[in-house]
Amino acid sequence: QVQLQESGPGLVKLSQTLSLTCTVTGVSITDLNAYWSWIRQSPGKEMEWMGTINYRNSTYINPPLKSRTAIYRDTSKNTFTLHLSSVTPEDTATYYCTRGRGTSYDYRGQGTRVTVSS
């Protein structure tokens, strides 16, 4: 059974870096053709794709976020981590990790709410 679980701080200060980790169980993140993504949804807004890392450790970042976003993986822990720097109140959202590309997925974590405080 594939499961994803996000972890990280619920509160981040303005201009700091947000780091969220997704722990995957039931499947290896290096499995052939596997793509792993971060998406988020701010209040009143549509779901936004942030970035993807694939089984080959290639990353793809949504262009508007490219200067502030990085995604890494730790194969020994079967996790992948999002780093979002220089956060602003506009980054307040519920963040989800998924197995999929863009905003399409077959498995998704339950989400973690992040608030940026000034």
Side-chain angles (χ1 to χ4, degrees):
Q1 181 181 2
V2 178
Q3 292 186 320
L4 292 83
Q5 178 66 58
E6 304 90 351
S7 60
L11 187 65
V12 183
K13 292 185 179 179
L14 186 68
S15 78
Q16 290 190 340
T17 295
L18 167 66
S19 296
L20 296 174
T21 295
C22 183
T23 300
V24 179
T25 57
V27 67
S28 171
I29 61 173
T30 60
D31 274 6
L32 189 65
N33 294 324
Y35 287 74
W36 307 93
S37 297
W38 286 97
I39 59 176
R40 67 179 181 180
Q41 188 163 31
S42 301
K45 295 186 178 180
E46 303 228 335
M47 191 71 76
E48 179 184 28
W49 169 65
M50 300 187 71
T52 299
I53 186 166
N54 72 5
Y55 63 105
R56 293 180 176 173
N57 202 29
S58 296
T59 58
Y60 311 87
I61 307 297
N62 193 349
L65 299 171
K66 197 166 187 177
S67 64
R68 302 196 291 130
T69 304
I71 299 176
Y72 300 100
R73 71 180 187 181
D74 185 334
T75 57
S76 68
K77 296 179 181 178
N78 213 41
T79 62
F80 60 104
T81 297
L82 170 75
H83 297 290
L84 179 67
S85 63
S86 303
V87 296
T88 73
E90 285 67 42
D91 294 311
T92 293
T94 299
Y95 288 74
Y96 302 90
C97 59
T98 75
R99 188 176 77 171
R101 310 187 201 191
T103 55
S104 298
Y105 55 86
D106 55 1
Y107 292 97
R108 190 196 78 178
Q110 62 185 18
T112 187
R113 173 78 175 171
V114 176
T115 300
V116 176
S117 66
S118 55

